[in-house]
Amino acid sequence: MVDPTKGWEHLWKQPEIIQRGWHRPNPEVVSLAQRLYDAGARRALDLGCGPGRHTLALAKIGYSTAATDVSPTALTHCATWLASEGFRGAICEADMQALPFADAAFDFVVSYNVIYHATRAGVVKTLAEIERVLRPGGKLFVTFIGTEDVKCAEYRRKAALGEGIEIEPFTYRVPNDPEEDGDLPHHFVDEAEARALLASFAIESLVAERQERSDNQGRPFVKVHWHAQCQRGD
Ligand SMILES: C[S@@+](CC[C@H](N)C(=O)[O-])C[C@H]1O[C@@H](n2cnc3c(N)ncnc32)[C@H](O)[C@@H]1O
């Protein structure tokens, strides 16, 4: 049972949040999904689907699509959005660390800005679940939040002030974070840590995506996510 005031559940209850970019699929995901589909992939999982931008993109390409999340509001949005465009999918509430699917059920798993909402052990468990539900040779597109992201320094500062918690090195929580998702753990990675976490996969590409932005007072900050494309071994 998800606390409606916490995590992403309270954010997805605010329609304006979805309009801040969460309604458009990431082009990198769409082009990879299309290439894999053209090469024969048919069964896809959008793990931590949120309101469903990638679930819908996968369905539009032609995949038989499943989507999971822990936010009931996101799942309702995802199912409604899919239906409104004439698609169906297996959409279900599930924690990423215990996926309700058979071994080798998918050819392709997408997990965009999701799996780092955990301790390191939780990220490891999630990646083991992804590996289990992917068929041998199946593909994974996954993102991690970078140690250079503005949030890492911000959470570290809050932990030092007693406003947040350092659970372990590079993993923080900010329990009273009403406007964001800081009450969930965040595990931040550099390239070496991303490679270590993905050690059982064959990494085909690993790229840091940097977005330079400025706050409402014009102060610059940077958002950094590692984007990984990998293959499950045989
Ligand atoms: C940043 S949003 C990304 C949503 C979606 N992947 C997208 O790109 O539009 C993170 C999502 O991860 C989900 N999430 C967080 N912890 C989760 C968990 N333990 N299991 C499954 N989903 C989780 C949240 O509910 C939220 O919808």
Side-chain angles (χ1 to χ4, degrees), residues 46 49-52 55-56 67 73-83 91:
D46 185 6
C49 59
T55 317
L56 180 62
T73 301
L75 291 164
T76 300
H77 189 286
C78 181
T80 307
W81 198 7
L82 234 61
I91 295 166

Side-chain angles (χ1 to χ4, degrees), residues 10-40:
H10 80 105
L11 297 172
W12 295 138
K13 282 184 185 301
Q14 305 165 45
E16 66 275 15
I17 299 271
I18 299 176
Q19 293 309 315
R20 283 185 209 155
W22 298 107
H23 59 304
R24 258 184 265 113
N26 177 279
E28 197 184 345
V29 172
V30 178
S31 68
L32 173 63
Q34 185 66 62
R35 281 202 308 280
L36 297 177
Y37 187 86
D38 293 345

Side-chain angles (χ1 to χ4, degrees), residues 8 12 22 48-50 53-54 69-71 94-96 112-114 117:
W8 278 83
W12 295 138
W22 298 107
C49 59
R53 59 185 179 143
H54 296 125
D69 204 288
V70 285
S71 159
D95 191 283
M96 60 190 176
Y112 197 100
N113 289 8
V114 178
H117 294 107

